[in-house]
Amino acid sequence: MSRIVHVNGAYLPESEAMVSVFDRGFLMADGVYEVTSVLDGKLIDFTPHCVRLARSLSELDMQNPHDDADWLEIFRQMVARNDLAEGMVYLQVTRGNPGDRDFAYPGPEVSPTVVLFTQSKPGLADSPAAKVGWRVISIPDLRWDRRDIKTVQLLYPSMGKMAAKKAGVDDSWFVQDGVVTEGTSNNAYIVKGNRIITRPLSHDILHGITRVAVLRFAAEAQMEVEERAFSIAEAQNADEAFITSASAFVMPVVEVDGKAVGAGKPGPLVARLREIYLDEMRRAAI
Ligand code: PDD
């Protein structure tokens, strides 16, 4: 089935959805994005995604083309027009099309380019991968220093994913100064006893929307949360490990650089956290 794609206010069949070759998103990776999941035809954690979008845009001096109410209407249109029950809505805003290539930003007369499309993923919540867990390798973190801005500069994360694929595993964890920053497209955690350890927020990592919710649910479930960086050796000696993202939710990590974490299979704390997260998010979905 051909998808309906949103381009600058129009809802078009995907074969007719186009942006200019002069768009700064294409030429300069001058754009930001959000991935919001959909379960039971409803948006998961929608408002925090809007808040982060506004922050990414403002950090780059880019106009926000819509207010939160307009965004919600557009997202709902996308879900409805694509009959999306389970999957993701992808949103990208770029600095637009100045009509030529120039390093300097264009003035306010150039409007941002807005694109949204949906990705249908039946069985996303009941993922078989969550039952076996992910295996990861570590690679140096060679990204720029403003990873808190959700830009479309995703070449190095793509290289990380390819390194993982080549090694026959599921993902790469980035390491900087001897400690883990995050995964290619997710935040990273280890578990020791009843304690969850994850890197504190800074410019070094993306401020995950799933991270906020998961840490809140963990505290409510009487789990301890410690925000500090951890090394690969510490992860290999942890009881459990996991990642979070809007598309993988809470995903167990069972092996790091060829060494089993804990029993080498998904452990009880992460399984419980995934269940709580999905239950609570389904309940609050809009
Ligand atoms: N990635 N860290 C990075 C580098 C990410 O790209 C992502 C999300 C996260 C998790 O953030 P959130 O919980 O808000 O999804 C952390 C999305 C899913 C993607 O690029 O597809």
Side-chain angles (χ1 to χ4, degrees):
M1 192 190 81
S2 168
R3 287 174 285 192
I4 298 297
V5 173
H6 178 112
V7 184
N8 296 328
Y11 293 89
L12 304 165
E14 59 182 51
S15 58
E16 291 169 30
M18 306 207 180
V19 296
S20 166
V21 293
F22 298 114
D23 195 280
R24 286 184 60 94
F26 178 65
L27 293 180
M28 306 282 187
D30 188 358
V32 302
Y33 76 108
E34 283 295 327
V35 176
T36 305
S37 58
V38 170
L39 294 176
D40 314 318
K42 291 183 178 169
L43 298 160
I44 300 298
D45 232 359
F46 177 75
T47 304
H49 283 285
C50 269
V51 172
R52 185 173 63 190
L53 171 70
R55 180 178 180 276
S56 293
L57 291 168
S58 118
E59 290 295 308
L60 297 175
D61 296 324
M62 224 185 277
Q63 305 164 41
N64 191 340
H66 297 292
D67 63 21
D68 289 7
D70 284 349
W71 281 125
L72 179 57
E73 175 55 24
I74 294 169
F75 271 70
R76 283 188 161 153
Q77 285 286 334
M78 291 300 290
V79 171
R81 287 172 190 251
N82 288 285
D83 203 13
L84 182 65
E86 199 160 346
M88 284 92 75
V89 179
Y90 176 87
L91 157 70
Q92 180 167 327
V93 180
T94 78
R95 206 181 301 273
N97 165 25
D100 201 357
R101 180 174 182 266
D102 188 350
F103 280 83
Y105 297 170
E109 69 285 358
V110 174
S111 325
T113 300
V114 176
V115 169
L116 290 93
F117 58 81
T118 55
Q119 294 180 291
S120 176
K121 305 269 177 197
L124 184 68
D126 191 25
S127 147
K131 292 177 184 87
V132 288
W134 279 7
R135 295 181 299 142
V136 304
I137 54 168
S138 63
I139 60 169
D141 198 336
L142 302 182
R143 297 173 298 164
W144 77 330
D145 278 344
R146 289 303 306 274
R147 303 154 192 161
D148 56 308
I149 308 172
K150 199 164 172 59
T151 75
V152 296
Q153 303 174 90
L154 296 176
L155 183 55
Y156 192 68
S158 293
M159 290 167 76
K161 205 64 177 176
M162 291 313 291
K165 228 174 153 177
K166 203 168 163 201
V169 300
D170 302 286
D171 202 14
S172 293
W173 275 6
F174 296 135
V175 173
Q176 178 174 281
D177 301 328
V179 285
V180 174
T181 48
E182 58 188 335
T184 56
S185 56
N186 47 70
N187 292 118
Y189 310 73
I190 57 172
V191 178
K192 287 185 177 182
N194 189 41
R195 177 180 298 234
I196 296 168
I197 299 161
T198 194
R199 197 181 173 99
L201 297 181
S202 69
H203 288 178
D204 295 339
I205 61 170
L206 184 75
H207 301 185
I209 302 304
T210 320
R211 180 187 184 280
V212 175
V214 162
L215 293 186
R216 185 174 76 241
F217 297 144
E220 285 168 9
Q222 316 304 324
M223 297 169 189
E224 289 170 50
V225 174
E226 186 181 356
E227 292 186 67
R228 67 161 174 86
F230 58 85
S231 66
I232 288 294
E234 205 181 351
Q236 290 173 323
N237 291 305
D239 297 325
E240 300 180 45
F242 63 102
I243 60 93
T244 63
S245 77
S247 50
F249 307 122
V250 177
M251 180 62 68
V253 169
V254 297
E255 186 189 292
V256 177
D257 279 343
K259 194 165 181 295
V261 177
K265 54 181 190 184
L269 184 142
V270 176
R272 189 159 158 244
L273 209 46
R274 181 178 171 92
E275 198 178 306
I276 297 173
Y277 176 81
L278 285 169
D279 284 353
E280 294 290 332
M281 284 295 143
R282 278 188 201 276
R283 218 193 312 278
I286 58 170

mmCIF file of all heavy atoms in Angstrom, residues 18 22 31 44 47 49 55 60 74 78 83 129 161 195 197 229 238 240 257 268 270 275 286:
data_model
loop_
_atom_site.group_PDB
_atom_site.id
_atom_site.type_symbol
_atom_site.label_atom_id
_atom_site.label_comp_id
_atom_site.label_asym_id
_atom_site.label_seq_id
_atom_site.Cartn_x
_atom_site.Cartn_y
_atom_site.Cartn_z
ATOM 1 N N MET A 18 7.778 15.246 -2.706
ATOM 2 C CA MET A 18 9.128 15.650 -3.133
ATOM 3 C C MET A 18 9.584 16.917 -2.428
ATOM 4 O O MET A 18 8.776 17.761 -2.079
ATOM 5 C CB MET A 18 9.135 15.936 -4.625
ATOM 6 C CG MET A 18 8.590 14.763 -5.380
ATOM 7 S SD MET A 18 9.180 14.621 -7.014
ATOM 8 C CE MET A 18 8.291 13.146 -7.487
ATOM 9 N N PHE A 22 17.798 21.731 -3.673
ATOM 10 C CA PHE A 22 18.486 22.805 -2.959
ATOM 11 C C PHE A 22 18.086 22.865 -1.485
ATOM 12 O O PHE A 22 18.529 23.751 -0.756
ATOM 13 C CB PHE A 22 18.213 24.161 -3.639
ATOM 14 C CG PHE A 22 18.735 24.210 -5.049
ATOM 15 C CD1 PHE A 22 17.866 24.309 -6.133
ATOM 16 C CD2 PHE A 22 20.104 24.129 -5.291
ATOM 17 C CE1 PHE A 22 18.354 24.337 -7.429
ATOM 18 C CE2 PHE A 22 20.593 24.153 -6.590
ATOM 19 C CZ PHE A 22 19.727 24.248 -7.662
ATOM 20 N N GLY A 31 18.836 19.980 9.424
ATOM 21 C CA GLY A 31 17.463 19.669 9.788
ATOM 22 C C GLY A 31 17.418 18.839 11.049
ATOM 23 O O GLY A 31 18.443 18.289 11.483
ATOM 24 N N ILE A 44 2.306 7.667 21.230
ATOM 25 C CA ILE A 44 2.962 7.404 22.517
ATOM 26 C C ILE A 44 3.806 8.612 22.915
ATOM 27 O O ILE A 44 4.666 9.046 22.144
ATOM 28 C CB ILE A 44 3.855 6.136 22.401
ATOM 29 C CG1 ILE A 44 3.021 4.897 22.026
ATOM 30 C CG2 ILE A 44 4.651 5.903 23.681
ATOM 31 C CD1 ILE A 44 1.968 4.502 23.020
ATOM 32 N N THR A 47 3.556 14.685 23.687
ATOM 33 C CA THR A 47 3.941 16.038 24.109
ATOM 34 C C THR A 47 5.456 16.200 24.306
ATOM 35 O O THR A 47 6.044 17.166 23.804
ATOM 36 C CB THR A 47 3.144 16.454 25.364
ATOM 37 O OG1 THR A 47 1.767 16.333 25.033
ATOM 38 C CG2 THR A 47 3.439 17.876 25.790
ATOM 39 N N HIS A 49 7.820 14.740 22.798
ATOM 40 C CA HIS A 49 8.466 14.806 21.474
ATOM 41 C C HIS A 49 8.344 16.218 20.889
ATOM 42 O O HIS A 49 9.276 16.735 20.270
ATOM 43 C CB HIS A 49 7.868 13.767 20.520
ATOM 44 C CG HIS A 49 8.360 12.375 20.782
ATOM 45 N ND1 HIS A 49 9.621 11.953 20.420
ATOM 46 C CD2 HIS A 49 7.786 11.324 21.399
ATOM 47 C CE1 HIS A 49 9.798 10.695 20.788
ATOM 48 N NE2 HIS A 49 8.693 10.284 21.392
ATOM 49 N N ARG A 55 12.954 22.444 21.108
ATOM 50 C CA ARG A 55 14.297 22.734 21.636
ATOM 51 C C ARG A 55 15.356 22.542 20.553
ATOM 52 O O ARG A 55 16.233 23.392 20.377
ATOM 53 C CB ARG A 55 14.590 21.831 22.832
ATOM 54 C CG ARG A 55 15.961 22.083 23.410
ATOM 55 C CD ARG A 55 16.274 21.242 24.630
ATOM 56 N NE ARG A 55 17.606 21.538 25.120
ATOM 57 C CZ ARG A 55 18.721 20.981 24.652
ATOM 58 N NH1 ARG A 55 18.658 20.093 23.686
ATOM 59 N NH2 ARG A 55 19.897 21.317 25.144
ATOM 60 N N LEU A 60 19.181 25.567 16.999
ATOM 61 C CA LEU A 60 19.749 25.806 15.666
ATOM 62 C C LEU A 60 19.194 27.080 15.018
ATOM 63 O O LEU A 60 19.352 27.292 13.803
ATOM 64 C CB LEU A 60 19.463 24.595 14.763
ATOM 65 C CG LEU A 60 20.101 23.275 15.230
ATOM 66 C CD1 LEU A 60 19.661 22.115 14.352
ATOM 67 C CD2 LEU A 60 21.627 23.376 15.221
ATOM 68 N N ILE A 74 -1.656 17.284 12.760
ATOM 69 C CA ILE A 74 -0.941 16.693 11.609
ATOM 70 C C ILE A 74 -0.592 15.223 11.906
ATOM 71 O O ILE A 74 -0.777 14.343 11.061
ATOM 72 C CB ILE A 74 0.327 17.523 11.284
ATOM 73 C CG1 ILE A 74 -0.054 18.924 10.797
ATOM 74 C CG2 ILE A 74 1.189 16.809 10.246
ATOM 75 C CD1 ILE A 74 1.113 19.905 10.691
ATOM 76 N N MET A 78 -1.884 11.855 9.942
ATOM 77 C CA MET A 78 -0.968 10.859 9.376
ATOM 78 C C MET A 78 -1.351 9.453 9.814
ATOM 79 O O MET A 78 -1.327 8.515 9.024
ATOM 80 C CB MET A 78 0.484 11.164 9.795
ATOM 81 C CG MET A 78 1.044 12.412 9.154
ATOM 82 S SD MET A 78 1.040 12.296 7.344
ATOM 83 C CE MET A 78 2.303 11.064 7.101
ATOM 84 N N ASP A 83 -3.930 4.630 8.177
ATOM 85 C CA ASP A 83 -4.531 3.515 8.891
ATOM 86 C C ASP A 83 -3.472 2.805 9.750
ATOM 87 O O ASP A 83 -3.359 1.582 9.747
ATOM 88 C CB ASP A 83 -5.132 2.533 7.860
ATOM 89 C CG ASP A 83 -6.230 1.690 8.485
ATOM 90 O OD1 ASP A 83 -6.654 2.047 9.589
ATOM 91 O OD2 ASP A 83 -6.607 0.672 7.862
ATOM 92 N N ALA A 129 12.593 -9.889 19.366
ATOM 93 C CA ALA A 129 13.944 -9.490 19.807
ATOM 94 C C ALA A 129 13.986 -9.230 21.309
ATOM 95 O O ALA A 129 15.001 -9.494 21.963
ATOM 96 C CB ALA A 129 14.387 -8.250 19.043
ATOM 97 N N LYS A 161 25.910 1.193 12.944
ATOM 98 C CA LYS A 161 24.962 0.097 12.691
ATOM 99 C C LYS A 161 25.598 -0.912 11.724
ATOM 100 O O LYS A 161 25.439 -2.129 11.877
ATOM 101 C CB LYS A 161 23.673 0.688 12.109
ATOM 102 C CG LYS A 161 22.439 -0.123 12.329
ATOM 103 C CD LYS A 161 22.058 -0.257 13.797
ATOM 104 C CE LYS A 161 20.762 -1.010 13.991
ATOM 105 N NZ LYS A 161 20.412 -1.242 15.398
ATOM 106 N N ARG A 195 19.623 -1.648 41.091
ATOM 107 C CA ARG A 195 20.044 -0.308 40.706
ATOM 108 C C ARG A 195 20.260 -0.195 39.195
ATOM 109 O O ARG A 195 20.980 -0.998 38.595
ATOM 110 C CB ARG A 195 21.339 0.025 41.435
ATOM 111 C CG ARG A 195 21.942 1.372 41.084
ATOM 112 C CD ARG A 195 23.214 1.561 41.866
ATOM 113 N NE ARG A 195 22.897 1.560 43.294
ATOM 114 C CZ ARG A 195 23.244 2.526 44.138
ATOM 115 N NH1 ARG A 195 23.942 3.546 43.717
ATOM 116 N NH2 ARG A 195 22.918 2.456 45.403
ATOM 117 N N ILE A 197 21.854 2.024 36.223
ATOM 118 C CA ILE A 197 22.913 3.033 36.048
ATOM 119 C C ILE A 197 22.891 3.522 34.599
ATOM 120 O O ILE A 197 22.917 2.715 33.660
ATOM 121 C CB ILE A 197 24.285 2.423 36.400
ATOM 122 C CG1 ILE A 197 24.288 1.979 37.872
ATOM 123 C CG2 ILE A 197 25.415 3.424 36.123
ATOM 124 C CD1 ILE A 197 25.363 0.993 38.234
ATOM 125 N N ALA A 229 28.235 7.755 34.345
ATOM 126 C CA ALA A 229 28.749 7.002 33.189
ATOM 127 C C ALA A 229 29.294 5.653 33.642
ATOM 128 O O ALA A 229 29.680 5.484 34.806
ATOM 129 C CB ALA A 229 29.836 7.815 32.515
ATOM 130 N N ALA A 238 27.912 -6.483 34.654
ATOM 131 C CA ALA A 238 26.621 -6.102 35.254
ATOM 132 C C ALA A 238 25.695 -7.320 35.323
ATOM 133 O O ALA A 238 25.958 -8.357 34.714
ATOM 134 C CB ALA A 238 25.986 -4.998 34.415
ATOM 135 N N GLU A 240 22.378 -7.062 34.430
ATOM 136 C CA GLU A 240 21.560 -6.930 33.222
ATOM 137 C C GLU A 240 21.977 -5.649 32.516
ATOM 138 O O GLU A 240 22.668 -4.801 33.113
ATOM 139 C CB GLU A 240 20.057 -6.836 33.568
ATOM 140 C CG GLU A 240 19.488 -8.040 34.311
ATOM 141 C CD GLU A 240 17.994 -7.887 34.624
ATOM 142 O OE1 GLU A 240 17.241 -7.469 33.726
ATOM 143 O OE2 GLU A 240 17.599 -8.174 35.761
ATOM 144 N N ASP A 257 30.555 -6.765 23.487
ATOM 145 C CA ASP A 257 31.883 -7.135 22.954
ATOM 146 C C ASP A 257 32.189 -8.622 23.177
ATOM 147 O O ASP A 257 33.279 -8.987 23.653
ATOM 148 C CB ASP A 257 32.978 -6.263 23.589
ATOM 149 C CG ASP A 257 33.070 -4.889 22.915
ATOM 150 O OD1 ASP A 257 32.545 -4.732 21.793
ATOM 151 O OD2 ASP A 257 33.671 -3.982 23.513
ATOM 152 N N PRO A 268 15.166 -10.386 34.793
ATOM 153 C CA PRO A 268 13.836 -10.044 35.322
ATOM 154 C C PRO A 268 13.574 -8.546 35.445
ATOM 155 O O PRO A 268 12.458 -8.103 35.172
ATOM 156 C CB PRO A 268 13.823 -10.714 36.704
ATOM 157 C CG PRO A 268 15.259 -10.974 37.050
ATOM 158 C CD PRO A 268 15.990 -11.129 35.754
ATOM 159 N N VAL A 270 14.722 -5.967 33.676
ATOM 160 C CA VAL A 270 14.482 -5.320 32.380
ATOM 161 C C VAL A 270 13.145 -5.783 31.796
ATOM 162 O O VAL A 270 12.386 -4.976 31.235
ATOM 163 C CB VAL A 270 15.659 -5.565 31.404
ATOM 164 C CG1 VAL A 270 15.363 -4.965 30.039
ATOM 165 C CG2 VAL A 270 16.946 -4.978 31.973
ATOM 166 N N GLU A 275 7.575 -4.214 30.521
ATOM 167 C CA GLU A 275 6.140 -4.446 30.683
ATOM 168 C C GLU A 275 5.463 -3.199 31.269
ATOM 169 O O GLU A 275 4.428 -2.749 30.776
ATOM 170 C CB GLU A 275 5.954 -5.646 31.618
ATOM 171 C CG GLU A 275 4.588 -6.268 31.555
ATOM 172 C CD GLU A 275 4.527 -7.470 32.483
ATOM 173 O OE1 GLU A 275 5.398 -8.368 32.357
ATOM 174 O OE2 GLU A 275 3.635 -7.480 33.353
ATOM 175 N N ILE A 286 -2.419 9.054 23.148
ATOM 176 C CA ILE A 286 -3.487 9.969 22.714
ATOM 177 C C ILE A 286 -3.744 9.849 21.210
ATOM 178 O O ILE A 286 -2.905 9.378 20.482
ATOM 179 C CB ILE A 286 -3.183 11.446 23.050
ATOM 180 C CG1 ILE A 286 -1.865 11.909 22.406
ATOM 181 C CG2 ILE A 286 -3.146 11.631 24.557
ATOM 182 C CD1 ILE A 286 -1.646 13.400 22.504
#
